[in-house]
Amino acid sequence: MVIKRLNHIIYSWGTALLISLMMVFTIQAKELVLVGSTAADFKPLSLFETRKIFLGYQVKRGDITLTAIRNINDEASYQIFLQKVVHLSARNYERRLMSKTFRTGTATVQASESLTTLKKQLYSNKYSVSVMWLKDVELNDKLKVIQVLWKEST
Amino acid sequence: MLRAISHQLRKVLGLSLLFSVSFMTHAEVELLIFPEIKANYQSANSFSTDNITPSVDIFSAGAIGPVNFLAEAYASENVQHIERLQIGFNMSDNSRVWFGRHHNPYGYWHTQFHHGTFLQTPISRPAIAELGSSSGIVPSHSTGVLIEGELEQGMSAWHYTASAGLTSSLVSAGGGHHGGAAERALHDFEISNPKPNEHKLGYALRLAYFPDALAETQFGGFINHQEIMLSLDTRIDEVDHLTDIIIHDDHHSADDDEHHTEVSEQDMTLNLNIVGLFASYHQGSLNLVGEAYYFSAAVPMDGQQHKSNFSAAYVHASYSLDEKWTPYIRLDTTLSNRNNEYLSLLDSFPTDAYTVGLRLDLKNNNAFKLEYSKRNISDIDSERWLLNWSAVW
């Protein structure tokens, strides 16, 4: 009798947990976020400043110049970044960066093809920022979300 | 022969040293390499391998502490040039001063595109933005000081540039610096082969307004004052009346010397003033560019300065159908150019032209372009086909 009741409880809780987990995974929308090291203590960037830094222009906090690193590891997040942040196609964005460097001699915006390398770059310089999926930052205690850039509509 | 080889060797060694220094320092260096192969066919001319020109443009820039540097070299089979060689400092977050050989800051096209033709949509440049040594009528480079900066106003910005330095001279070209076939051409001051006595000063001031500081749409204007020295054989009276100039020989007299000195000082400088307006509009896949320049030239002739004015303009339109295909069209025109003394010196300048072309972008920053132009040069119409492969690595 007790065992039967225990089985029933486990079954009920198990089912509830499974349903909850399913709901979490189906409802949680994708979010593209601007990230930096947890040591980063500068105030968030405006959308204009975010676009500015990823187009290779200088953005400062106090006397320090922030550095942007492009995350080209994930095609889907890069496409959203292009559409929502820099407002250019991949081809035009590349050409804009090259053209600016060729014209003015200023440094281009670095790109990282590996998420692991990108994270290491962010750990090593608290004034570096990049763009990632929220899920790639959430469980990482060395990175923090500076601001949300885009959220999937559910 | 040996002297020529030695000169070329010196250039190559100089360039190698320049780029080696860039890499050996601890500076973060940007390096861009622009290879290009261009084939051209002009009506009434035969086609041979001479019409195919491979070339490469190598660009390097970076900073070593507070010092910025920028170097660019261009090389084809017949021509090797240090295009830009600049050392500079940041005067503030938004302004810089550069010393060395830089682009003469005029107009839109010339400040946006130079070598590295991959970056520009068409193969050819608009007539008024053509490189000085290749049928162009405005000096391309200046060697001296350049100050540039940005003034941000909310989300819009002003860009300013001021330049002063040794400008071009006008020489018998025997083929332009970038493969042009001009008889006479503007010849920039060369760092690798400096001849300061053959160049005078030029000044330029350019101002551009960006409604969106981060976008490419811009409007602006500029002024240029150029004092262009003429070599003896390019003076217009020399061109028209070959006996007008006294040439030194073994039997010259003191009077000859005096007269020659007088000719050198008074009659060897052409004063060119240019005022221009430009606009570039980008909206989605559409790009419209227009520029209009007013030229005022004082050309030495028969012991006097003959003043003449003319205007020139172009409009360019391109539309990207997708990430690969971009058709484009351009119209060039010149007004009040009849019997203009300055243009008669640079008679390979196309006074009127229309150009259509198609660009195909491939993966990994490669592009093929095909272009047709009908041009009027010295009252003669000619057709030109260009085929080009360009890339950036």
Side-chain angles (χ1 to χ4, degrees):
Chain A
M1 182 70 179
V2 174
I3 291 171
K4 196 175 176 183
R5 190 172 172 74
L6 203 59
N7 271 343
H8 179 72
I9 290 168
I10 290 168
Y11 178 77
S12 308
W13 276 98
T15 309
L17 186 64
L18 193 64
I19 291 170
S20 304
L21 282 172
M22 284 173 66
M23 283 177 69
V24 166
F25 280 110
T26 50
I27 289 172
Q28 189 179 30
K30 279 185 168 180
E31 289 183 45
L32 196 66
V33 293
L34 187 71
V35 294
S37 157
T38 43
D41 51 3
F42 50 84
K43 69 173 187 180
L45 284 72
S46 66
L47 276 178
F48 180 76
E49 285 179 313
T50 307
R51 187 170 156 233
K52 187 175 180 181
I53 195 170
F54 280 100
L55 283 168
Y57 296 92
Q58 199 175 56
V59 174
K60 291 184 97 169
R61 287 292 180 265
D63 290 335
I64 307 292
T65 302
L66 304 184
T67 309
I69 307 170
R70 288 183 284 158
N71 175 8
I72 55 171
N73 153 70
D74 178 77
E75 180 63 24
S77 70
Y78 191 58
Q79 286 303 325
I80 292 167
F81 161 77
L82 292 169
Q83 284 173 31
K84 305 297 177 186
V85 178
V86 295
H87 310 312
L88 290 169
S89 67
R91 183 192 71 173
N92 288 344
Y93 182 41
E94 289 288 342
R95 211 177 290 174
R96 274 288 297 276
L97 293 178
M98 273 188 283
S99 180
K100 184 171 179 295
T101 297
F102 188 60
R103 226 173 40 243
T104 63
T106 50
T108 192
V109 180
Q110 290 177 56
S112 182
E113 292 181 17
S114 152
L115 196 58
T116 311
T117 309
L118 174 59
K119 285 177 179 176
K120 282 180 186 166
Q121 287 175 293
L122 293 174
Y123 304 155
S124 66
N125 181 356
K126 70 174 186 175
Y127 294 105
S128 290
V129 295
S130 190
V131 172
M132 288 180 196
W133 291 124
L134 178 61
K135 68 178 175 60
D136 292 328
V137 192
E138 277 178 326
L139 302 175
N140 189 322
D141 59 3
K142 291 183 186 171
L143 294 180
K144 75 173 185 184
V145 173
I146 296 171
Q147 65 216 66
V148 176
L149 298 173
W150 173 83
K151 193 171 181 178
E152 188 179 37
S153 53
T154 51
Chain B
M1 178 70 178
L2 280 173
R3 200 173 161 187
I5 291 171
S6 158
H7 180 60
Q8 295 303 325
L9 200 62
R10 208 171 61 198
K11 277 186 184 176
V12 171
L13 285 173
L15 290 177
S16 306
L17 183 67
L18 186 71
F19 288 104
S20 303
V21 167
S22 301
F23 287 111
M24 284 162 64
T25 59
H26 295 288
E28 281 192 13
V29 176
E30 298 290 337
L31 178 69
L32 295 170
I33 299 173
F34 296 91
E36 179 185 11
I37 299 172
K38 185 164 76 176
N40 78 84
Y41 170 74
Q42 304 209 34
S43 57
N45 289 348
S46 59
F47 186 86
S48 71
T49 51
D50 291 343
N51 297 70
I52 301 173
T53 314
S55 64
V56 64
D57 189 75
I58 304 173
F59 170 88
S60 171
I64 308 168
V67 181
N68 303 320
F69 68 88
L70 186 159
E72 184 191 357
Y74 172 88
S76 67
E77 192 180 356
N78 301 320
V79 174
Q80 300 83 38
H81 269 276
I82 295 175
E83 287 295 319
R84 284 184 284 174
L85 188 60
Q86 300 172 221
I87 290 177
F89 306 91
N90 296 332
M91 296 192 292
S92 70
D93 285 347
N94 296 316
S95 61
R96 298 157 295 284
V97 59
W98 293 95
F99 301 95
R101 180 171 147 135
H102 54 266
H103 292 157
N104 177 16
Y106 75 88
Y108 171 80
W109 203 277
H110 189 70
T111 53
Q112 293 294 307
F113 312 111
H114 212 262
H115 294 293
T117 55
F118 174 82
L119 295 173
Q120 69 180 26
T121 302
I123 301 176
S124 64
R125 300 165 67 86
I128 50 173
E130 185 53 90
L131 298 174
S133 48
S134 183
S135 83
I137 56 173
V138 185
S140 301
H141 296 91
S142 174
T143 304
V145 61
L146 174 80
I147 294 171
E148 59 181 2
E150 302 84 36
L151 300 170
E152 292 187 12
Q153 282 187 318
M155 292 170 80
S156 60
W158 291 90
H159 286 207
Y160 62 87
T161 318
S163 158
L166 294 172
T167 188
S168 303
S169 55
L170 187 64
V171 298
S172 289
H177 135 198
H178 298 115
E183 282 183 31
R184 291 176 294 278
L186 294 171
H187 181 80
D188 296 323
F189 178 82
E190 283 188 53
I191 286 179
S192 60
N193 186 21
K195 292 176 183 170
N197 294 337
E198 294 180 9
H199 297 268
K200 285 196 162 187
L201 288 172
Y203 308 90
L205 184 63
R206 180 184 184 273
L207 190 62
Y209 176 69
F210 290 70
D212 176 348
L214 306 180
E216 291 181 288
T217 293
Q218 59 176 282
F219 313 94
F222 70 91
I223 51 173
N224 246 235
H225 171 74
Q226 307 287 338
E227 294 173 12
I228 298 171
M229 281 194 80
L230 310 181
S231 64
L232 283 176
D233 52 353
T234 58
R235 283 184 59 217
I236 198 160
D237 41 1
E238 174 67 10
V239 171
D240 291 343
H241 315 288
L242 292 172
T243 56
D244 190 271
I245 289 287
I246 296 171
I247 307 287
H248 278 282
D249 56 31
D250 293 338
H251 311 288
H252 67 274
S253 66
D255 285 348
D256 288 342
D257 263 350
E258 193 176 315
H259 183 74
H260 182 71
T261 305
E262 191 182 331
V263 168
S264 297
E265 289 179 355
Q266 292 186 359
D267 286 359
M268 300 310 288
T269 304
L270 184 160
N271 283 291
L272 179 66
N273 292 305
I274 312 165
V275 180
L277 295 172
F278 57 86
S280 170
Y281 175 76
H282 293 251
Q283 182 63 52
S285 303
L286 177 68
N287 176 212
L288 299 172
V289 181
E291 299 193 57
Y293 301 175
Y294 175 78
F295 295 79
S296 174
V299 179
M301 193 166 65
D302 301 328
Q304 291 182 323
Q305 293 277 321
H306 284 240
K307 292 188 176 176
S308 62
N309 308 319
F310 65 98
S311 304
Y314 76 89
V315 286
H316 160 97
S318 64
Y319 187 85
S320 296
L321 301 172
D322 52 33
E323 288 284 284
K324 286 185 173 179
W325 297 97
T326 307
Y328 57 88
I329 185 167
R330 185 179 67 237
L331 300 172
D332 293 272
T333 191
T334 310
L335 305 170
S336 310
N337 55 296
R338 288 275 161 210
N339 302 318
N340 183 280
E341 285 86 357
Y342 182 58
L343 289 181
S344 67
L345 284 170
L346 293 162
D347 54 5
S348 62
F349 173 73
T351 49
D352 289 288
Y354 72 81
T355 300
V356 291
L358 185 64
R359 175 185 175 119
L360 169 63
D361 275 284
L362 304 172
K363 284 187 177 177
N364 302 320
N365 293 322
N366 286 258
F368 280 100
K369 306 174 198 174
L370 178 65
E371 186 176 297
Y372 168 82
S373 298
K374 187 161 188 178
R375 307 185 299 165
N376 183 292
I377 300 172
S378 300
D379 290 330
I380 299 168
D381 285 334
S382 70
E383 294 175 292
R384 182 178 71 176
W385 286 93
L386 295 173
L387 178 65
N388 162 291
W389 168 81
S390 61
V392 57
W393 298 328

